[in-house]
Amino acid sequence: TLRVLEFAGCDGELIRRNLEIIETAIAEIRAALAADPENAGLNRLLTAEYQRRGEVLRRAARLADSI
């Protein structure tokens, strides 16, 4: 899917940037959880970021299907 986005123009670039931001957030939250694994707030944030990543990937799949 992401290879197709190379040809999708600005929508593909926006999706790519969003995924980079989400992946950075996930990495930062996971690092914080390593230091404080019982932190419920961090666990909620991590869950939210994984959900957001899923939404962006679904959007990317729809974009790829339309090309």
Side-chain angles (χ1 to χ4, degrees):
T1 300
L2 294 179
R3 291 197 116 207
V4 173
L5 294 179
E6 293 174 11
F7 305 103
C10 63
D11 287 338
E13 181 59 30
L14 179 61
I15 289 170
R16 225 182 339 270
R17 280 197 318 256
N18 283 338
L19 284 172
E20 288 174 8
I21 292 167
I22 292 167
E23 292 302 330
T24 298
I26 287 172
E28 290 174 358
I29 296 166
R30 289 176 61 94
L33 277 169
D36 187 7
E38 301 301 316
N39 188 316
L42 288 173
N43 279 301
R44 283 191 299 274
L45 281 174
L46 185 61
T47 299
E49 288 304 314
Y50 280 126
Q51 290 172 342
R52 195 164 71 139
R53 181 174 68 179
E55 292 167 8
V56 171
L57 289 172
R58 282 188 292 280
R59 194 174 336 141
R62 284 193 304 270
L63 179 61
D65 287 344
S66 70
I67 293 176

